[in-house]
Amino acid sequence: MFYPIGNTTIDSDKYREKFAKRYYLPFMKELIDLSGCSLKEAKELIDKVIHEEGIIINQTSKEIQDTCLAELQDN
């Protein structure tokens, strides 16, 4: 499926493995570089694709990201 972001369109099938890693920073940077979008827009696109396509998030990635986000919110 195709999703518009910034000045481009992303094919979710091409990036399915990367979407399964959720907020994987190298992938988020790639989205930003390709589209000229903001970090917030990249995060929103990732959330949207995961939700709409029912992508199962890699458990290890989820645990690491949840821990990091919790620590960030504590500060």
Side-chain angles (χ1 to χ4, degrees):
M1 206 168 187
F2 291 94
Y3 294 88
I5 183 168
N7 57 14
T8 193
T9 302
I10 301 296
D11 180 359
S12 63
D13 292 331
K14 180 179 176 184
Y15 294 100
R16 183 164 293 280
E17 287 182 33
K18 292 181 181 181
F19 278 112
K21 293 181 181 179
R22 201 167 97 184
Y23 307 137
Y24 182 59
L25 291 177
F27 177 50
M28 293 180 86
K29 182 178 180 335
E30 184 177 348
L31 285 175
I32 291 167
D33 290 345
L34 283 172
S35 67
C37 71
S38 68
L39 181 59
K40 181 181 178 190
E41 290 170 314
K43 180 187 175 297
E44 289 171 352
L45 175 72
I46 291 168
D47 290 339
K48 178 180 179 178
V49 172
I50 288 170
H51 175 74
E52 288 185 4
E53 298 193 13
I55 295 173
I56 298 171
I57 299 169
N58 175 291
Q59 190 60 35
T60 303
S61 293
K62 182 180 182 328
E63 290 173 8
I64 291 169
Q65 293 162 13
D66 288 346
T67 300
C68 291
L69 289 172
E71 288 179 12
L72 180 63
Q73 291 174 353
D74 288 344
N75 291 334

